[in-house]
Amino acid sequence: MAAPVLRWGCPGTRWVLAWVGGGYRRGASIGSTSNPTREQSAVAQKPLHTAQKPRKGEHKWEAVVGLEIHAQISSNSKLFSGSEVCFSAPPNSLVSFFDASLPGTLPVLNRRCVEAAVMTGLALNCHINKKSLFDRKHYFYADLPAGYQITQQRLPIAVNGSLVYSVWGGKKPSQMVSRTVRIKQIQLEQDSGKSLHDDLRAQTLIDLNRAEGQLRVDANVSVHHPGEPLGIRTEVKNLNSIRFLAKAIDFEIQRQINELETGGEILNETRSFDCQLGCTVPMRDKEGKQDYRFMPEPNLPPLVLYDTTSLPAGADSQQVINIDQIRDTLPELPSVTRERLVQQYGLLPEHSFTLLNEVGLLEFFQNVIKETRAEPKKVANWVLNTFLGYLKQQNLAVSESPVSPSALAELLNLLDSKAISSSAAKQVFQELWRAEGKTAAQVVSEQKLELMQDLEALDQLCLSTMEGHPQVVMDVKKGNSRAINKLIGLVRKATLSRADPALIKDILEKRLQS
């Protein structure tokens, strides 16, 4: 009860769809900044295709999706009271007089929550309102003892933002493309209590501790023909994972198309998502739209924020909130980090995406970069393919890896200085993974994996290999460029893979030309 919650309002994003033989195809979202020729949804379970011109008997559809996101603020106390916030605390053990709505109690705004809301707004490119207002939203439910919820309906703390995100798609399957979603507003909102339904005893218990999890989403979905008015929307409530959100939206779009194609109608109703059946089911209709009787919150004055230009002279920093000061404390945002990786190290955008998508992987990569002479692209290749591949095989987090950044950096230094071959480097990595505590140099020495440095001995091996395989030599001289690869393989086998293939090829080519 009275827990600090941020609500993000995302206005409808539109997709063009075509009804195709019992399914639908989705095109790029309207207003998207990327090439709309082909895309994959960041949340859908199947690849999505560009909406094609409908064949005879088909109808083109456009879907509009808006998300209302409830995000819990990380704070030590609640939004309007000093009660502690503690996950899994015993029911009703963290309830103040205000939380219980006892007469005469007044709300006191939590400074930390305001700062978090401003920081969120800045991160989402919102305009921060220097003056915002609190309102009462009236409705009766047992987990709301006051009979109203304190929110920001008229003038929220932040408005008109945007979020740029990346998805796999574009002209190549591995290509990353950018999409932009608009943020309508961010508002501070009091959280309600939690209803615990006991079906066995046919009763409901109320917990007025902080109720909600870290994130929940309400999805508003409608479909219509392009150029026509928007369709009647349904609201899918209380989705608590990205995967369920994706499934619920995709199902609801398909359900509405099916309903309209068969002559039915869409009801303005609230639905829930059954994760076991993979479908949405009705909860209650909204035909009689509820009047929340919004009114200004009389016990809270307007929330006034400042920036450097409007900050009063001599103002106590503990009594005011400076937007610019909060802006300066923002960490580097993911989009900025991805761009920096591309510019600084010459990485592909999809590689920068993967580095940020795995917890701890970017830090691991940067620590390797600090200790190795190898090119950043080569480091990225080892981290994203070899290192990450081993982690995935054994279902380990980056922090659980037996190979440290220093160990990988030492291995790459040996490879870069041509002390070992690329195939030997993979053997060394495998041994480092199995035998935690060993260094790359120790593994190379123990298993005698260092490259041959005696050029005269290598030249003799190449000569003897050519003499022992005259037919292969003849094939090379006749113009079969692939035949030389067989000679290279034979020489490497004779050296126990301790010779550089490029050096072997160079010696063989000189011998063949002489």
Side-chain angles (χ1 to χ4, degrees):
M1 183 67 190
V5 171
L6 284 179
R7 280 178 59 184
W8 303 355
C10 300
T13 298
R14 301 185 180 191
W15 286 274
V16 177
L17 305 106
W19 177 246
V20 183
Y24 65 87
R25 293 182 178 177
R26 182 187 303 170
S29 57
I30 294 176
S32 172
T33 58
S34 64
N35 187 344
T37 55
R38 182 182 177 130
E39 73 165 314
Q40 279 188 322
S41 169
V43 297
Q45 302 302 308
K46 298 180 180 179
L48 303 174
H49 306 280
T50 305
Q52 301 175 353
K53 184 178 180 180
R55 297 190 294 270
K56 186 176 181 180
E58 294 177 348
H59 301 277
K60 184 184 289 186
W61 291 96
E62 192 171 76
V64 180
V65 179
L67 303 179
E68 183 178 315
I69 303 170
H70 299 250
Q72 184 171 300
I73 296 173
S74 177
S75 61
N76 295 325
S77 58
K78 300 182 182 180
L79 180 58
F80 295 120
S81 78
S83 296
E84 183 184 358
V85 171
C86 182
F87 183 72
S88 296
N92 296 310
S93 61
L94 304 174
V95 180
S96 69
F97 290 156
F98 175 79
D99 300 333
S101 301
L102 295 184
T105 56
L106 297 175
V108 178
L109 185 58
N110 186 325
R111 178 190 177 96
R112 155 65 188 158
C113 296
V114 176
E115 292 173 340
V118 172
M119 184 175 290
T120 304
L122 292 173
L124 293 173
N125 304 302
C126 292
H127 169 73
I128 307 299
N129 287 322
K130 293 182 181 178
K131 178 182 178 180
S132 59
L133 304 174
F134 289 96
D135 305 283
R136 288 185 179 182
K137 176 183 179 180
H138 293 83
Y139 65 93
F140 176 76
Y141 204 73
D143 59 11
L144 196 67
Y148 62 85
Q149 180 184 38
I150 301 178
T151 184
Q152 290 189 306
Q153 173 70 12
R154 294 170 297 160
L155 190 57
I157 195 168
V159 295
N160 301 331
S162 64
L163 174 65
V164 178
Y165 61 97
S166 300
V167 295
W168 298 103
K171 295 182 179 179
K172 298 179 181 179
S174 60
Q175 184 180 354
M176 298 296 299
V177 292
S178 296
R179 299 282 182 263
T180 301
V181 63
R182 294 170 295 150
I183 308 296
K184 180 183 178 183
Q185 66 188 59
I186 295 176
Q187 62 195 62
L188 285 164
E189 185 173 275
Q190 176 185 20
D191 204 356
S192 61
K194 184 175 183 180
S195 299
L196 305 171
H197 303 290
D198 187 343
D199 295 332
L200 185 62
R201 296 183 175 87
Q203 63 183 9
T204 297
L205 304 176
I206 303 298
D207 180 11
L208 295 182
N209 287 349
R210 188 176 201 172
E212 306 300 339
Q214 293 183 348
L215 181 74
R216 74 180 189 277
V217 182
D218 303 331
N220 291 270
V221 182
S222 69
V223 298
H224 66 284
H225 292 301
E228 295 183 359
L230 297 182
I232 296 174
R233 66 180 174 89
T234 60
E235 183 179 21
V236 186
K237 297 285 287 185
N238 296 329
L239 298 160
N240 57 11
S241 79
I242 299 298
R243 186 163 61 94
F244 291 160
L245 172 64
K247 289 184 175 182
I249 291 174
D250 282 346
F251 176 86
E252 188 59 23
I253 290 174
Q254 182 67 75
R255 184 193 70 83
Q256 293 187 21
I257 292 175
N258 289 342
E259 188 73 24
L260 294 171
E261 286 285 344
T262 55
E265 63 176 350
I266 305 300
L267 300 179
N268 181 211
E269 62 183 353
T270 301
R271 302 176 72 89
S272 64
F273 181 68
D274 188 318
C275 58
Q276 294 183 336
L277 298 178
C279 65
T280 64
V281 294
M283 293 175 65
R284 60 180 182 271
D285 65 67
K286 289 189 172 182
E287 291 182 358
K289 188 174 181 181
Q290 187 168 0
D291 181 10
Y292 290 115
R293 293 175 291 124
F294 285 101
M295 61 169 282
E297 168 54 58
N299 294 325
L300 285 171
L303 175 58
V304 179
L305 308 177
Y306 300 90
D307 57 20
T308 303
T309 59
S310 62
L311 189 67
D316 185 355
S317 61
Q318 297 300 316
Q319 299 298 320
V320 298
I321 292 179
N322 188 331
I323 299 171
D324 292 329
Q325 191 175 38
I326 295 175
R327 192 192 311 273
D328 292 339
T329 64
L330 279 176
E332 185 177 65
L333 299 177
S335 58
V336 178
T337 303
R338 286 194 290 268
E339 181 64 25
R340 176 175 59 82
L341 291 172
V342 171
Q343 297 297 328
Q344 184 176 353
Y345 300 122
L347 304 184
L348 294 174
E350 50 266 34
H351 290 169
S352 68
F353 180 85
T354 305
L355 285 173
L356 264 74
N357 202 38
E358 298 289 336
V359 176
L361 194 60
L362 175 59
E363 183 180 1
F364 187 96
F365 168 78
Q366 291 177 324
N367 288 335
V368 176
I369 287 286
K370 292 176 184 176
E371 300 186 45
T372 184
R373 299 185 298 273
E375 294 181 353
K377 288 184 179 180
K378 183 175 290 186
V379 175
N381 180 62
W382 271 83
V383 169
L384 296 177
N385 294 315
T386 306
F387 176 73
L388 191 57
Y390 273 73
L391 289 177
K392 296 295 186 184
Q393 287 175 6
Q394 300 188 23
N395 196 27
L396 296 177
V398 174
S399 59
E400 299 172 316
S401 166
V403 177
S404 67
S406 298
L408 180 56
E410 182 189 8
L411 173 58
L412 294 179
N413 283 337
L414 291 173
L415 183 61
D416 186 66
S417 63
K418 299 189 181 301
I420 56 175
S421 65
S422 57
S423 59
K426 292 180 180 179
Q427 295 180 48
V428 174
F429 185 87
Q430 186 176 27
E431 185 62 26
L432 291 174
W433 193 271
R434 287 199 303 250
E436 188 174 356
K438 284 188 177 181
T439 66
Q442 287 174 332
V443 175
V444 170
S445 177
E446 291 173 1
Q447 300 191 10
K448 296 182 173 53
L449 295 173
E450 61 274 353
L451 285 175
M452 287 182 62
Q453 303 297 330
D454 191 338
L455 295 182
E456 186 176 343
L458 186 58
D459 181 71
Q460 287 301 314
L461 275 175
C462 290
L463 179 60
S464 61
T465 301
M466 292 171 62
E467 291 174 346
H469 299 82
Q471 184 58 50
V472 180
V473 173
M474 188 64 66
D475 291 342
V476 175
K477 290 185 176 181
K478 286 182 180 179
N480 186 349
S481 58
R482 293 185 178 182
I484 196 172
N485 292 332
K486 184 173 182 180
L487 292 174
I488 294 172
L490 291 169
V491 175
R492 291 199 69 210
K493 184 177 180 180
T495 64
L496 302 176
S497 299
R498 293 176 55 206
D500 184 0
L503 182 57
I504 295 173
K505 184 178 180 181
D506 185 56
I507 294 174
L508 287 172
E509 288 176 342
K510 289 179 180 178
R511 282 285 182 183
L512 289 167
Q513 292 172 3
S514 61

